[in-house]
Structure formats: C-alpha cells, structure tokens
C-alpha cells in the first residue's frame, strides 16, 4: 500500500498501544534562569460552555509566550489526553487525533473504528514552537504553546476584559468522516426491503435465511440491486421526489427520538450567547461578536421586522438562534436542488447504466422544478419568520433543527405538488429499494472522495471539503428516506389489517424481518448523520490548518481566533490543598504541630481522638525554616481565604487569624466547608440540627445566610461546594444533594434520595460525590449495627446541563459507598460495589481499604441503558489513601490508575490489613500533597492486650509528621510527639 | 547512398520487431502481475482474509466472520486471461462458490425466525456436500502505488457471495414496474 498508509500504521501503533503513563520527562534542557528568562507561573481566566468562567493554569514565558500544560489544554478543549510508547502526547476529540512528539512535531490523523488510522494534512509539517519544560512551583513541567495547540484542536476563542472565551464545536467534519463505517452499518438492507417479495416467491424459510445471511455481509460488499436492470423512469423519479420531503415518520411518531438523537451533535451557540449575556461586562460584547462571527451563516440578513421583536435582555442569544435557524432553513432549501443537479451528472464506471437512469430522472426533475432557487427561498423564509415571531426562537437547538426542516419542506411541498405522490401512491417498498440503491451509489462516491480528501494532504479553502460533505449527506439522506419508506410500508400494511391500531401496537407488531424499533433506530441514526454533516459546515474554517500557522489569528466566520494578550496571564492567588491538614499559600505551608497531650493515649483500632490541648500553628517556608505563628487550642483542617487562616477549635467552633497569626477572631459554633481564596469568601455551616449554609466574607468577617438547609459537607471542586441535608418533606424520609457556587450566588437542589425496603423509614446519608463533566454522581445509603456496616444504598446521577436525574444503581443494590466514575471518549464507566459483591464497612485500622470484588457499568453517550460486568483490580473512593502490599497508594483520576505515594523503600512497616492481634502497629493517619511534597502522619502504637467488646485497644507510642518529595523515598521528619 | 539507406532501413526494420517485442513484454508483465494479484486476492479471500481489496484506502482489512467466512472457505477459483493496459486490467476468472439459492431453498419449513435460519444456514454451509455453482467473472484491478488491488463490482460481489445479489435482483422484480 501507499507510503501514507505505512506511516498511518505507525500512527496506529502509537495509538493502539498508548500507555497511560505520567507525562514523560523530555530531553530538552530547562532554560537557565538568566536575567533574560522570565517565567510567570500563573493562570488565565477562561470561559468554556461546560465550566463557565474559571481559572486555568498558564505560564507566561519571557513576557510574551503563553504556555499551558497538556492536561490543561485537554480540559479546555474537551479532548482526551494519553501518552504513547515513545513519549508522544496524544489528544483525541472523538476520531480526530493530534499527536505531538517530544521534539514538538505534530501530526494530525483520523481513527476509524479504533483499528485503523490515516494521516490528515500529510503535506503540511507542523512544529509547535515554544514547547518547553520549565520549573513550575518547584516541579519541572512540560508546557505547550497554548494558541498553537488550541488551533490544531479546532478551537475558537475571543478575548475581552481579561477573559479568554473559548468555543469548542461538538465536532467537525473530520469527526463525521471518522464515523463512516458506523454510518455504513445504518444503511438500508435490500434483504429487509425485499424480504416479503422473497417470501412470496420462495417461502418463509427462504426469506429468513436470506435475511440471516444479509445480516452477516460486510458493508464493503454492498452494491445497488436494481442498478443494472431496467428502471422505470417514473418510479425512479417518484423515489427521488421523496428526498424533497422530510421523512414522514421523523415528523410523526419518531420525532422525539430523532430530536434527542440529533441534539448531542448540535452546537448551542444561542445558549452560549445567552449565558455570556448574563455575565455582563466584557462578556456581553463577546456575545455580540459570537453571533456575528462564530456562525457561518452570518451573511443571512434577518428582516427588520424580526429583529425588532427581540428585547434587549437575551438579545444575543435570540439573535444567534435566529441566525442558526435561518441558516439551516436556507441551507436545506437549497440542498434539494443541489442534490438533483448532482444526480443529473453523476458517473461511476461500476454502475454505469444505473447512473444513466439516475441522470435522466434527476435532469427531468431539475428542469421541471429548477426555478426553486435561493431568492425564492429567502422571500419565503422572511414571510414564515415574520408570522412565527418569537415562537420559533425559544426552541432548543434540536427543536430548531426540526422546525427548520419542517418549514422548508412545507414550502417545498407547496411548490412541488407531485412531492406527495410517491407516498400517497402507497408504493413505499419500491421507493425504499430505489433509495437503497441510491445510498449505495453515494457510498461509492463518498468513499472515493474521502480518499481524495486525505490524499490531498492540505486544504486550500473550505470549498475543498464541500464535495465530501455533500456526498456523505446525500448518502445518508437516501438511507434515511429508504428506511422511512420501508417504515411507512410496514406501518400501512399493518393498519390495512388493523385500522384501529394505536402507535404502540403498530411498533410492537408491524415489523417482520426487522422490528419497527430497530428500523426506526436506523432511520433516526441516518437522519442524525445528515444533521451532523450539515451542522459541521459552520466550522469548516477550523479545518484550514497550515504548518506555518499563518492563519493562527483569524476573524473568519466559523474560525474566530484572537491573539491572547500576554497580560491576561495573571499570578495565581490560590491555596493548594485548601481545607486540608497541610495547606500551601503564597509559597508557604501551614500545619498544626501537636504534642503528647494533643491525643487520647489509648484508642480502639489504634485511633486516638484529639484532645483539648494547646497546639502550635506552623508556617513552613520554602527554604525549610519554620515559624510558630500561633499557639492555640486548634486542630485539623486549615482554610485560607482573603489572606486569613480559618481554623477549627478544639471542642468545636471556628476561629480565624491573619497569616502571621495575629488578629484572632472567634466565629462561633460552625464549621468551614469550602473557600474561594481569590474572592476572599468561605462557605460555612452552623452546628446543630438545623444546619444551613452561609457565606463568610474574609475582609470583614461578616456572615450572610444563604440557605437554611445543609448539614453534611461532601465535596468542593471547580468552584462549587456539594453538600447534603436530611429531608422529611416526602412520604418517605430522604436526603437531598445540593450544590452551591463558592461565591454563594447560586444554590441548586440537585437530587433527592430515599432508602427502600426495610430501611425506607430511615433517612439515607449521601456519602460520596464525584463530578464527571456535567454529571454529578453520588452514593447514598445507610450504616447500622455495632460494627457500623454499610447496609445498602444506591447511586444517583444528575446531569447539570438539563437537571435530568438517573438512578444508576437502584436503592438496595449498592453494597458500599465508594465508587469510581470516569469518562473515556464517549463512554462513561461506573465502578461500584454491588450488594452481591459484599457490604462495606469503616470499622478497621485504616480509614479506607481497597475493594477487590466489584462491578463495572458502562454506557455510551446518548444510550439509555448501562452494560454491567464484573470488575477487576481495586476500587476505592477518589482521594483516599490505601495500604497495598505495604505501600501507601492513592487513585489518580487523571491517569486512571493507582499511584504509589509512600513506597516500601521509605522504610515503614505498614501492614495492609492488621487483624488487631499485632503487638505493634504503624499506620498513616493523615496524608496531604502540597507543592510536589507529601506530608503524612505516621502513628506508632502498641497493643494494650485489652479489647472493648470486639474492638482491640492500642496505646499511642509516637506520632510523627513527615515530609517527602513526590516520587522519592526519603522522608524528612518534621516533628514527633 | 542508396546502399547505406538500405542498410539503415534494414537496421530499423530489424529493430522494430525487437522494439515491439519489448513493448509486448512490458504489457505482458502488467497482465501477469494483475493475474497474480487476482489469484492472491482469491486465495486470501478463501482463507478468510480480505487482502488486496481496494477498500477505499481507509478501511481496515479485517478477517471474514460468520456465514460469510464459512462461504469463503468453500471458494475455488481459476484465473484465466488478463486484458487491458496501463493502470487498469480485467482478469477473467471462474469462481466456484456455494450455491446460496439452493442452500436457502433447502432450509426446512420449520425455520421461522432469523435466529433459527442462521443456525440452519451455518449447519448447511458446514456440510461437506453443500451445493456449489460456478460464476464467470471479469475482475477489475487497478494499480495503486506498489501493487494491484481488486475493485468490488456487482458481478464479483455476486460471485463471492454465492449469487446473493442475483437472488435479490430476482426478488426486486416484484417491486419494479
């Protein structure tokens, strides 16, 4: 095969054998920190649709180059990041891959069915200038040039008021092309269409045998059936006319399914513009820019009568939606004429006589209806929009697609009276077969065009992919209409014998060789493919990638990229591990130093509760020197906000001091939950059964109550705080999961959970929350008994985009509160301990143990059902540290693997699962990671020989706080008591 | 002068057949290559692989599976002559494949579902005495960089699949005018 295919194999090898390792260290030397070299490790304020306005780590090099870590860029673009055998960085957005070698050379490719890869842009040579390894917060960090990498990943962005507004299209044409084999699987099956005819001719068993065989014929062997035979010209014309109509069943019983299936591929430019409009300030002008620049249909003029209906509020969003609707309407109204024109001249040597018949029929139609042109479509569009007014514009993107589709074809129907003929004639099977043949012919044309586009090796303009889109779209349009015709045929046949049948009965019984549900699915997916082709046209500008990056900055429609001002990179104002036992802030580290009297001397399971005692608050500097900044009865977690420290008092309560330990303020009987150190606020909750959430302002220590509900803190992440409260409002006691923004501006009730069965009369506890993209997963259940065993529970999930809720693991089926959820491409993976796997418990020497028997559920985007199978390996909750084979490990969510924090070489004698019969025990009681260092407390204890019931009692011997650089095995003892 | 012209003409006359022989040799080698590629294609197909098929340049060449594999394993072939020139060749071949029509006609009346049909078909294709038929096929090959690849055409698809498309065409007569 050709050279490009051999090199594609190399790409394939790299992709198939990608090993998810930590980022490799690169051979490049770190630039000497001379006067000429300046590195600012800071952050950018960015906006993305998924996360809103947030901070992203960035580095400013020599005052002008903006760099970012690969995982940061992956997060900004919604790409999956892995690394290859040879240290390559591999970014994937679906089937689109950008692979960056350690020397900065970038290659772009397309992966088909995870088994084959081809190069795109073979004639371009991309090298990322400015790819470097620099010291960031004391750790050598690989950094990529931000703008160039975003460019290769088809991102668009605009800059305003110190914020970078990023827009990532759901997909581009390359992603659609990458799914070509999946689309082939949805094409019509002639055996399904002709099954009845075969049955009449040769009998039922022949019919079923034919279909069984057809099911196993690869799409590579598809050919037109009747292409070589004599064609009735009238029949062929009737089949082609159906392309002008919307699929009858998509506008009928399958409409909801079709909208839902298409929706995940539709960009919500209007929604984003709305979101930006509400932010205010610079964002509002970005919203205006967005509506003009991001959509490719900006040349469509909205009639004045329409624009005047928009009020000032939400104008940008409505404008974007209007432009999108108008663009789709215009695009689809022109499409049919273009399709006829193409079919009038299409040639293919293998199907020569078929093409002749097509040419003749399409020419005839084109001549007859050829004055259905752009101007007429626009005039009609204006009239339609002015009568509809705001009704259309409030619809969701998916709704807009279907409304536009319906509108344009209503117009077509009025203009071309014969368009209804084919369906009304009842000859659906004939149309289905002819359209099936058409789709196969288009498959051959499309395939040739894909090869041609790949071999071109570069794109001169967006027009270079126009033909590719056109052919693919026509292929799937023919496919959709073929399925639609067959669906109608089956439906009408059933109704002929059962005139009173309702839709459910028809779906249940009308199918024969293929169920109505399966046929409907193929129809919906074929239509979704058409939508994908059409929808991605607005982003063709982002496909124009060149090795010299000459169009890196662009204001072209659909590929808007502005130069990011270097001053947008600001120094970080953030605390590391805020709320942990060890917290880093502005280069210093803070922790409590305890004494002998700080703990109970004896405890069951070697757990020694804190006692009322005066402890020392330490500030440890980067050079290793330490200051005692405070002596007070405080312990445990430390929060930083607004240049103050917030500390937990022995015996309960919260108090605060300045960074030097002065200016103590007592804040009463409450606990801190989550800090926004940049904003200088802290979310707190009062003790007591009423609970509630308040916002504390660090500047003046004022407290503003936000909500009367909330008693259990669960998670603080990405600008939000998740917490739970007991709820007695329903007939069954429940627990409610809440989410509050760290600035207190937004509190949302996410979900309510209940126990079932014997535990229904008890309030469940929500135990663990994990955020995966826009989905919030949580486990709930009940602990009981003297051993404190987890009895049973469930796992729920809320999609914060539309607040839909799913009970992934029904109440009663969960065996432990710990679970893991991850997303790999379009597949979500949920690992959990089912009731059958065993029940979880927290009564033990370690806070957490790994589960080795558990289940894994997986689901693809858009699917409603999960697939469950036994899991293998270990499972624990994110953030927990475990003892495994004498080493302390923790789950790393980025690498999706366990990482060793304290290796055996560090010299501690940890036991995985102490039984309580051991004379001496060494345990880790706290572990925090700050600035590339692990701070961990090792507690050595001896057995007293006694027990409290079944619980063994130990006496504390020594407690030592160690610090150890990540990846090393040489701990430094900070203090012992 | 005449004598020299005569000798020159004779030399040219002698050279021409040699030149013609050389060109014929080039064309012949192309035909031989195409025939060999055709044989390799059929051999690999009969062995359950799709090697040498022009699969639009981006599809994976995957092993055959299921009923199609069972059918392929019964394939016999005889490559005959090649014609054409340049980058396109036609190779005539006789392909003996399972007679799908006869196999389907022999399925018992008790087969009343696709699942039952699949099992029955698999059993029938595994039978040593499964009926076969021969197809005369003109295989189209095109030159691609470093070799010849086979184009999937209606007649080739029909032959490889035991007359599957012939059956469908016959059934399609019911829905044509």
């Amino acid at each position: 095969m050709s050279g490009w295919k051999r090199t594609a194999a190399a790409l394939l090898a790299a992709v198939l054998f990608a090993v998810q390792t930590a980022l490799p260290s690169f051979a490049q030397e770190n630039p000497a920190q001379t006067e000429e070299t300046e590195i600012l490790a800071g952050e950018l304020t960015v906006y993305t649709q998924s996360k809103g306005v947030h901070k992203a780590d960035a580095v400013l090099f020599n005052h002008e180059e903006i760099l970012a870590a690969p995982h940061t860029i992956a997060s900004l673009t919604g790409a999956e990041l892995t690394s290859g055998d040879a240290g390559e960085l591999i970014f994937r957005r679906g089937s689109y891959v950008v692979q960056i070698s350690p020397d900065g050379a970038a290659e772009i490719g397309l992966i088909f069915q995870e088994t084959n890869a081809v190069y795109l842009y073979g004639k371009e040579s991309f090298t990322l200038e400015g790819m470097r390894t620099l010291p960031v917060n004391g750790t050598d960090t690989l950094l990529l040039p931000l703008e160039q990498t975003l460019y290769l990943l088809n991102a668009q962005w605009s800059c305003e008021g110190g914020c970078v507004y990023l827009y990532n299209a759901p997909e581009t044409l390359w992603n659609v092309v990458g799914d070509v084999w999946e689309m082939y699987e949805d094409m019509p099956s002639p055996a399904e269409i002709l099954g009845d005819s075969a049955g009449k001719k040769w009998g039922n068993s022949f019919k079923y045998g034919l279909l069984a065989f057809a099911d196993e014929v690869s799409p590579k062997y598809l050919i037109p059936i009747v292409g070589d035979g004599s064609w009735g010209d009238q029949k062929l014309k009737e089949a082609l006319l159906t392309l002008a109509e919307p699929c009858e069943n998509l506008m009928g019983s399958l409409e909801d399914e079709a909208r839902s299936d298409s929706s995940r591929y539709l960009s919500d430019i209007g929604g984003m513009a709305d979101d930006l409009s509400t932010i205010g300030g610079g964002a509002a002008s970005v919203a205006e820019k967005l509506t003009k620049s991001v959509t490719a249909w900006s040349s469509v003029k909205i009639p004045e009568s329409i624009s005047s209906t928009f009020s000032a509020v939400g104008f940008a969003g409505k404008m974007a939606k209007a432009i999108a609707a108008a663009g789709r309407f215009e695009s689809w109204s022109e499409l049919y004429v273009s399709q006829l024109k193409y079919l009038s001249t299409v040639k293919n040597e293998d199907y020569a006589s078929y093409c002749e018949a097509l040419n003749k029929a399409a020419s005839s139609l084109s001549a007859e209806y050829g004055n259905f042109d752009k101007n007429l479509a626009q005039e009609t569009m204006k009239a339609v929009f002015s009568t509809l007014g705001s009704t259309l514009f409030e619809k969701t993107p998916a709704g807009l697609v279907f409304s536009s589709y319906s509108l344009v074809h209503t117009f077509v129907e009025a203009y071309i009276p014969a368009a209804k003929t084919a369906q009304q004639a009842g000859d659906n099977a004939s149309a289905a077969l002819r359209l099936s043949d058409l789709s196969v012919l288009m498959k051959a044309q499309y395939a040739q065009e894909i090869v041609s586009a790949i071999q071109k090796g570069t794109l001169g303009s967006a027009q270079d992919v126009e033909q590719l889109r056109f052919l693919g779209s026509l292929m799937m349009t023919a496919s959709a209409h073929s399925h639609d015709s067959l669906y109608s045929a089956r439906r009408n046949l059933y109704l002929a014998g059962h005139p009173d049948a309702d839709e459910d009965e028809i779906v249940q019984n009308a199918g024969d060789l293929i169920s109505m549900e399966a046929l409907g699915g193929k129809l919906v997916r074929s239509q979704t493919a058409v939508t994908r082709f059409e929808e991605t046209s607005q982003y063709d500008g982002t496909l124009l990638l060149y090795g010299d990056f000459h169009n890196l900055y662009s204001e072209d429609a659909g590929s808007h990229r502005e130069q990011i001002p270097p001053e947008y990179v600001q120094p970080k104002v953030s605390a590391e591990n805020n709320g942990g036992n060890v917290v880093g802030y502005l280069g210093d580290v803070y922790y409590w130093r305890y004494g002998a009297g700080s703990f109970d001397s004896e405890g069951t399971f070697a757990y020694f509760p804190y006692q009322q005692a005066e402890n020392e608050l330490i500030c440890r500097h980067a050079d290793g020197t330490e200051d005692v900044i405070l002596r007070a009865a405080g312990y445990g977690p430390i929060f930083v906000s607004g240049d103050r420290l917030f500390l937990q008092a022995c015996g309960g309560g919260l108090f605060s001091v300045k960074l030097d330990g002065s200016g103590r303020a007592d804040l009463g009987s409450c606990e801190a939950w989550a800090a926004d150190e940049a904003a200088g606020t802290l979310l707190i909750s009062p003790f007591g059964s009423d609970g509630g959430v308040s916002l504390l302002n660090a500047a003046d220590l004022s407290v503003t109550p936000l909500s009367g509900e909330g008693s259990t803190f669960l998670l603080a992440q990405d600008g939000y705080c998740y917490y739970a409260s007991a709820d007695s409002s329903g007939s069954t006691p429940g627990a409610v999961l809440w989410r509050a923004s760290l600035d207190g501006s937004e509190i949302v009730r996410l979900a309510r959970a209940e126990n079932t069965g014997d535990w229904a009369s008890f309030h469940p506890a929500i135990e663990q929350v994990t955020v995966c993209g826009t989905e919030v997963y949580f486990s709930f259940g009940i602990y009981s008994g003297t051993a404190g065993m987890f009895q049973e529970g469930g796992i729920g999930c809320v999609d914060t985009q539309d607040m839909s809720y799913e009970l992934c693991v029904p109440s009663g089926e969960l065996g432990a509160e710990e679970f893991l959820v991850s997303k790999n491409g379009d597949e979500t993976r949920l690992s959990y301990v089912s009731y059958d796997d065993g029940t979880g418990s927290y009564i033990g020497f370690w806070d957490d143990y790994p589960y080795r028997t558990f289940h894994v559920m997986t689901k693809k985007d858009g699917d409603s059902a999960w697939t469950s199978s036994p899991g293998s390996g270990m499972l624990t909750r994110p953030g927990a540290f475990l003892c495994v084979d004498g080493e302390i490990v923790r789950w790393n969510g980025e690498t999706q693997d366990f990482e060793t924090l304290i290796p055996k070489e560090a010299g501690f004698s940890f036991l995985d699962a102490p039984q309580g019969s051991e004379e001496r025990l060494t345990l880790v009681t706290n572990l925090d990671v700050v600035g590339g260092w692990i701070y961990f407390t090792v507690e050595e204890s001896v057995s007293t020989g006694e027990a409290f019931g079944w619980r063994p009692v130990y006496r504390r011997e020594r407690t030592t706080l160690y610090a150890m650089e990540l990846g090393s095995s040489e701990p430094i003892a900070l203090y012992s008591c | 002068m005449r004598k020299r012209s005569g000798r020159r003409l004779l030399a040219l006359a002698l050279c021409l057949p040699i030149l013609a022989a050389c060109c014929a040799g080039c064309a012949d080698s192309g035909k031989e290559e195409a025939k060999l590629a055709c044989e390799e294609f059929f051999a690999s197909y009969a062995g359950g692989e799709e090697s040498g098929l022009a699969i639009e340049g981006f599809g994976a060449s995957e092993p055959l599976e299921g009923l199609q594999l069972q059918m392929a394993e019964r394939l016999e072939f005889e490559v005959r002559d090649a014609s054409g020139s340049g980058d396109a060749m036609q190779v005539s071949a006789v392909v003996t494949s399972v007679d799908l029509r006869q196999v389907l006609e022999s399925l018992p009346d008790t087969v009343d579902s696709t699942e039952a049909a699949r099992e029955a078909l698999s059993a029938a294709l595994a039978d040593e005495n499964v009926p076969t038929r021969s197809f005369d096929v003109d295989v189209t090959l095109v030159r691609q960089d470093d070799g010849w690849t086979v184009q999937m055409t209606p007649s080739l698809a029909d032959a490889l699949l035991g007359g599957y498309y012939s059956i469908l065409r016959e059934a399609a007569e019911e829905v044509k005018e």
Side-chain angles (χ1 to χ4, degrees), chain A residues 544-566:
Chain A
L544 303 179
L545 304 177
Y546 303 101
D548 61 3
F549 294 93
H550 68 261
N551 64 337
L552 175 60
Y553 305 122
S554 158
E555 288 187 20
D556 291 342
S559 56
H560 191 97
R561 298 179 290 259
E562 296 177 13
Q563 185 166 12
I564 303 173

Side-chain angles (χ1 to χ4, degrees), chain A residues 382 409 527 580 748 862 910:
Chain A
K382 286 178 197 173
H409 287 94
Q527 180 59 45
V748 175
F910 300 128

Side-chain angles (χ1 to χ4, degrees), chain A residues 822-845:
Chain A
S822 62
K823 191 129 171 134
N824 188 0
D826 65 351
E827 182 183 85
T828 303
R829 188 181 172 88
L830 173 64
S831 304
Y832 69 99
V833 179
S834 85
Y835 192 77
D836 297 330
D837 293 328
T839 50
S841 165
Y842 275 110
I843 302 298
F845 286 91

